[in-house]
Amino acid sequence: MSREIRITPSILNADFGNLNAEIAKIADVSDLIHLDVMDNIFVPNFTFDFESARAIIQSSPIGVDAHLMVANADEVAPQYAEAGCSSVTVHAEAVTNIAATLRSIRKQGSRAGLAVKPNTAIDSYAEFTDLVDMFLIMTVEPGFGGQKFMADMMEKVRKTRSIIGDRPIWLQVDGGISLETIEIAVAAGADTFVAGSAVFKAQDPAAMVVSLRELAISVAN
Ligand code: DX5
Ligand code: ZN
């Protein structure tokens, strides 16, 4: 099993008052910065409005992976792509016209991601495979950092890996990823890992990113 591994740290648990400095701590060792956008409607928490998010996207020294946990995803996803995100992920549960929204993200030059919450099966979204650059399988209920990894999502990860087949689609997991949980997620087929509290609560966030990557690579190869 040889697979390219990506670590995309979430800044949700970083110090929001010092975001540039927080991002700088991990930029050199990370693939992308994972930006959790929450609207207090789709999830019971609020992080950034579009203007604040755009400022982060434009000042980030590395690419941004926007995870839109918002109810009006059809409307805002193309704006995040246009603002310069490397990747924009929408939730299947929030989008009205999945195909049109995925196409509009790509049209603005970003990778298009499709996410599912723990209670949403992946099967009905297999038909969008040709429009997707990344599937995101949530391993916690979206809304907050620091929750317990749901190992029972690994069956869904395996199923998504088989849907992907040999297409160059990334398979991301988000929620509770740490040195304790990353191995089973790799073994189930994930290749792109969000880690929030594991990274930003570590004494040395960059060293934690490196350790997570090394461990994941050791399982993937
Ligand atoms: C949760 C967010 C996650 C969160 C992960 O809704 O989508 O990206 O920041 O945080 P940890 O790694 O602490 O579970
Ligand atoms: Zn996220």
Side-chain angles (χ1 to χ4, degrees), residues 8-205:
T8 57
S10 161
I11 54 172
L12 184 61
N13 270 57
D15 175 1
F16 272 26
N18 273 307
L19 269 187
N20 286 344
E22 294 281 81
I23 292 172
K25 285 182 189 167
I26 46 109
D28 287 350
V29 293
S30 303
D31 293 278
L32 298 169
I33 297 294
H34 181 84
L35 184 69
D36 289 302
V37 181
M38 304 186 186
D39 65 353
N40 208 16
I41 300 170
F42 181 68
V43 288
N45 193 5
F46 181 86
T47 53
F48 312 104
D49 60 21
F50 177 65
E51 290 309 319
S52 319
R54 180 158 60 187
I56 298 167
I57 295 159
Q58 290 180 345
S59 66
S60 176
I62 64 169
V64 170
D65 167 36
H67 175 193
L68 303 184
M69 288 162 275
V70 298
N72 60 341
D74 301 76
E75 190 187 320
V76 298
Q79 297 173 12
Y80 276 85
E82 197 185 358
C85 288
S86 300
S87 173
V88 178
T89 298
V90 293
H91 268 268
E93 305 87 354
V95 183
T96 311
N97 189 334
I98 295 180
T101 297
L102 294 170
R103 283 198 184 96
S104 70
I105 293 169
R106 280 183 168 177
K107 200 169 159 210
Q108 296 295 337
S110 299
R111 298 175 59 88
L114 187 62
V116 288
K117 299 204 285 185
N119 288 332
T120 304
I122 194 68
D123 313 59
S124 26
Y125 302 105
E127 63 175 292
F128 298 104
T129 303
D130 290 338
L131 299 175
V132 163
D133 299 299
M134 181 170 83
F135 281 111
L136 164 52
I137 305 302
M138 291 303 300
T139 43
V140 297
E141 279 300 335
F144 300 93
Q147 302 181 76
K148 191 175 178 296
F149 175 77
M150 298 169 72
D152 55 346
M153 291 298 115
M154 294 307 96
E155 190 50 48
K156 199 196 289 188
V157 173
R158 274 189 285 277
K159 186 171 265 182
T160 308
R161 175 51 67 191
S162 77
I163 289 169
I164 290 172
D166 52 14
R167 297 177 184 87
I169 297 174
W170 298 0
L171 177 43
Q172 187 176 51
V173 284
D174 180 5
I177 297 296
S178 69
L179 290 172
E180 283 70 48
T181 59
I182 197 166
E183 288 173 89
I184 66 162
V186 179
D191 59 15
T192 304
F193 302 88
V194 179
S197 41
V199 169
F200 281 99
K201 290 203 157 72
Q203 259 193 355
D204 183 341

